[in-house]
Amino acid sequence: MAESPTILVIGPRWVGDMVMAQCLFSALKERYPNAAIDVLAPGWAAPLVKRMPEIRCQIDFPLMPGALEFRSRRRFGRLLRGRYDMAYVLPGSWKSALIPFFARIPRRVGNLREMRYGLLTDVVPLADGLKRRTARAYFGLARGGTFRMPKLTIDTANQAALLARFGLTGQDFVALMPGAEFGPAKRWPSDHYAELARDMMAKGLGVALLGSKNDADVTGEIAALAPGAIDLAGKTRLEDAIDLIAAAKLAVSNDSGLMHVAAAVGTPIVAVYGSTSPENTPPLTDRSELIWLHLSCSPCHKKVCPLGHLNCLKTLDVARVAAAADRLLKVPATA
């Protein structure tokens, strides 16, 4: 292996998974300090990847989620021939291994998953207990190095401009992230978030609601129930969300991509779990409180509650989340 290998990583398609992928990137940099690491990922990932010092560049490959597009992958792979010494394939699908194969990259590393014999040259065994533990599974592909928690860089100039733009300069505020792209079985109810927002504002803290435009309906409901909360869903770019969350005194989130962003920028995080388990995808930080009822039907890992009641989230009361927030904020408990 060359002392300065060029490495292509086939990246995941979710924000949280991309944050957790930094566990692999940092391990590869430890093993190969002079390596040039590029990440093949959708265009949305570029602002996130730019905040990872281990990465040289992001290569945009626009494909529809779930699409095979065999010819496009073959054509794109051929364009990359001769550019890379190694490839790491993070997604578990068969199609995800096609581009490195067509690029004729000499070493192609990944877990077996969808019977990828031939497409991969180095199959890394994946223990059953790690199949849903994304960060550890990604790190295991490096087969060496130190497991490090993700750490995203902050653009302080952009951060200052955003705080001024949204009236948050000089104010302690809490970032609430009530969305979850995966589905409603990950979302703590809007009225619960609104009650928490009112509690935070009663303590003298500002509240900012963050998310993508897909979360705007949810944040709009919360803002209507909690007057004074600043609804920023769909009004910020991903890189803006990173900088705003880094400025927050605390973040409260469902199991979502922004939860992992909060952990990676060092903001204390209260993470609320429903259909998924904190044992599998916890925020990678020492400054967190993980709230999960551990019902007999949870985790089901479904997008929509298969039993129709969503008790894992609806019965998770606000007082429990507020108490966790207070502990992280170091607010003394009242009698």
Side-chain angles (χ1 to χ4, degrees), residues 115-192:
M115 299 300 291
R116 300 189 289 190
Y117 290 115
L119 294 178
L120 301 175
T121 62
D122 295 31
V123 174
V124 179
L126 181 64
D128 288 342
L130 293 181
K131 286 184 178 179
R132 292 189 182 274
R133 299 191 177 188
T134 307
R136 286 288 177 180
Y138 289 166
F139 169 72
L141 295 176
R143 290 176 293 187
T146 306
F147 183 86
R148 295 181 177 87
M149 297 178 182
K151 186 175 181 180
L152 301 175
T153 59
I154 307 303
D155 183 336
T156 54
N158 185 54
Q159 184 183 71
L162 290 166
L163 294 175
R165 175 183 169 190
F166 297 120
L168 293 167
T169 303
Q171 180 182 10
D172 286 339
F173 70 96
V174 175
L176 302 186
M177 290 93 81
E181 290 288 334
F182 180 76
K186 274 190 174 186
R187 293 193 204 111
W188 200 39
S190 297
D191 59 336
H192 290 25

Side-chain angles (χ1 to χ4, degrees), residues 61-74 95 98:
F61 183 51
L63 284 177
M64 293 295 293
L68 174 58
E69 298 193 39
F70 183 88
R71 291 181 179 177
S72 295
R73 294 176 192 273
R74 181 175 59 186
K95 64 190 176 189
L98 288 174

Side-chain angles (χ1 to χ4, degrees), residues 35-72:
I37 305 175
D38 296 342
V39 176
L40 183 70
W44 65 258
L48 182 56
V49 171
K50 286 179 181 177
R51 301 302 182 91
M52 299 180 180
E54 302 89 353
I55 303 305
R56 180 176 67 175
C57 74
Q58 178 260 350
I59 301 173
D60 188 11
F61 183 51
L63 284 177
M64 293 295 293
L68 174 58
E69 298 193 39
F70 183 88
R71 291 181 179 177
S72 295

Side-chain angles (χ1 to χ4, degrees), residues 293-327:
L293 292 182
H294 209 301
L295 302 183
S296 59
C297 56
S298 175
C300 67
H301 301 291
K302 302 296 185 182
K303 295 183 178 182
V304 178
C305 176
L307 301 178
H309 54 59
L310 202 63
N311 284 346
C312 60
L313 289 169
K314 286 184 176 179
T315 62
L316 201 166
D317 61 273
V318 177
R320 182 169 173 178
V321 177
D326 286 348
R327 286 191 293 270

Side-chain angles (χ1 to χ4, degrees), residues 9-13 17 40 88-97 109-114 116 120 138 141:
V9 177
I10 309 300
R13 65 184 185 94
D17 289 358
L40 183 70
Y88 287 81
V89 183
L90 273 56
S93 64
W94 180 81
K95 64 190 176 189
S96 298
V109 184
N111 302 126
L112 185 58
R113 299 287 181 136
E114 291 185 358
R116 300 189 289 190
L120 301 175
Y138 289 166
L141 295 176

Side-chain angles (χ1 to χ4, degrees), residues 19 149-152 177 245 251 257-269 282-288:
V19 174
M149 297 178 182
K151 186 175 181 180
L152 301 175
M177 290 93 81
I245 293 169
L258 292 184
M259 175 194 77
H260 292 287
V261 168
V265 296
T267 299
I269 174 80
L284 298 173
T285 175
D286 296 326
R287 306 174 71 195
S288 67

